Amino acid sequence: MTANSTDRRFVNRPPQRIVVLTGAGISAESGVRTFRDNDGLWENHRLEDVATPEAFERDAELVQRFYNARRAQLNEVQPNLAHIALAEFEQRYTGDFLLVTQNVDDLHERAGSQHLLHMHGELKRVRCTRTEQLYDMDTDITATTCCACCNAPNLRPHIVWFGEMPLFMDDIFHALEQCDLFISIGTSGHVYPAAGFVEVAANAGAHTIEINLEPSCIKDNFAEHLYGKAGDVLPGYLQ
Ligand code: BV8
């Protein structure tokens, strides 16, 4: 089972260790808005001004409303052919496989992906700001929603905001330094450290491919490119 990469080294021996990075573009065909759609605005707020600890400090109700709306939208969307192709490939593939997503939706899980790390957190989980205890959440958080650990309104979205350290970074860098194929799908390459992953993988000797609707701002860091809608091109690439 191999990804149909053009790299010569895979002609006789398929890739043994694959790391996949996904961004908002892989969920676009499910109807989940990407960050750079609509000029990256939500209710006329720049995302970088809402998805920050400072915004939460300044106006927790606005930030909770932003995430409540996106959490509620998850009940109206389904995994698309790209999510499904990735999950089915993972199940057939006999090598090491890690899917790292920048996305906070639950579409990869719902498609069946298992070796999955949400480096920017998850919409369907919230966190106590005092104890760091995580809780599953599929409804709204309001100013009176209390955590069970303190019985107080200490809950925040379990989301990595701008200026906060992404999750699972040690595991991710270890996998990048070991992989022989790095596949980036549906990301504009604007946000770090995720946008730097391709260079870590390439420096470790991996073949790298960008699969995206259009060239990203880090396209030159990839050895191979495949452009089109993920739902159209990924099933053929991963067959
Ligand atoms: C950190 C959760 C340090 C929130 C998100 C200056 C230079 C370099 C870096 C910085 C800088 N200033 C600040 C920074 C750091 C900052 C950063 O990178 N800022 C950017 C804006 C410059 N990064 C951080 O703050 C990170 N933390 O650096 O911490 C640190 C060190 C020590 C101690 C403490 C801290 C944290 C970043 C995480 C922010 N949170 N998400 C939420 O979801 O609400 S990031 C957010 O952007 C989403 O996760 C999103 O996934 C991510 C990246 O966007 P994309 O996924 O790429 O989405 P986008 O819309 O941009 O692109 C979609 C692409 O899909 C497009 O290319 C489009 O063509 C394509 N597409 C569309 N449709 C399809 C498609 N492709 C295929 N098929 C389709 N159908």
Side-chain angles (χ1 to χ4, degrees):
M1 172 49 53
T2 161
N4 287 321
S5 217
T6 61
D7 194 67
R8 283 191 306 280
R9 83 185 88 168
F10 298 144
V11 169
N12 300 317
R13 185 168 182 269
Q16 301 300 302
R17 290 171 306 285
I18 299 179
V19 174
V20 178
L21 172 70
T22 60
I26 200 168
S27 295
E29 290 157 78
S30 296
V32 179
R33 246 174 52 191
T34 68
F35 274 72
R36 272 81 202 168
D37 281 348
N38 194 31
D39 301 325
L41 292 177
W42 176 79
E43 286 192 1
N44 295 323
H45 293 277
R46 272 173 21 90
L47 285 172
E48 282 79 5
D49 297 337
V50 177
T52 67
E54 295 76 16
F56 191 63
E57 191 68 33
R58 190 173 55 242
D59 188 346
E61 200 274 331
L62 171 83
V63 174
Q64 298 286 24
R65 199 167 75 240
F66 173 55
Y67 289 97
N68 288 343
R70 289 171 64 196
R71 190 178 304 114
Q73 192 207 17
L74 293 185
N75 300 322
E76 297 151 23
V77 297
Q78 299 295 329
N80 64 55
L81 291 176
H83 296 108
I84 293 164
L86 264 178
E88 290 177 350
F89 176 80
E90 177 187 349
Q91 277 141 29
R92 296 193 305 268
Y93 182 61
T94 53
D96 291 339
F97 181 90
L98 177 63
L99 170 54
V100 180
T101 187
Q102 299 174 87
N103 300 340
V104 293
D105 64 52
D106 61 348
L107 294 174
H108 281 305
E109 295 87 325
R110 287 164 57 192
S113 289
Q114 293 183 337
H115 296 91
L116 168 64
L117 295 177
H118 279 274
M119 66 178 288
H120 289 163
E122 300 170 69
L123 274 174
K124 289 209 158 179
R125 303 184 91 180
V126 295
R127 189 167 85 226
C128 173
T129 53
R130 190 179 73 84
T131 66
E132 300 287 299
Q133 173 72 38
L134 292 180
Y135 296 92
D136 291 336
M137 174 61 75
D138 56 13
T139 56
D140 287 1
I141 306 179
T142 67
T144 57
T145 309
C146 289
C147 51
C149 43
C150 319
N151 193 25
N154 293 344
L155 291 171
R156 63 162 276 181
H158 180 51
I159 296 287
V160 176
W161 286 326
F162 288 97
E164 293 184 322
M165 179 58 86
L167 305 169
F168 310 112
M169 294 307 288
D170 292 345
D171 296 336
I172 294 170
F173 278 105
H174 177 73
L176 291 169
E177 286 152 7
Q178 303 295 319
C179 75
D180 53 4
L181 178 58
F182 176 75
I183 307 172
S184 174
I185 307 168
T187 181
S188 62
H190 276 100
V191 174
Y192 286 81
F197 289 173
V198 55
E199 287 169 289
V200 177
N203 292 341
H207 179 64
T208 58
I209 179 168
E210 168 174 88
I211 301 176
N212 207 50
L213 189 63
E214 64 209 355
S216 74
C217 59
I218 51 171
K219 66 177 175 24
D220 295 337
N221 299 340
F222 289 87
E224 188 181 356
H225 306 85
L226 178 57
Y227 293 124
K229 287 186 172 184
D232 294 342
V233 301
L234 204 53
Y237 176 76
L238 290 175
Q239 66 182 344

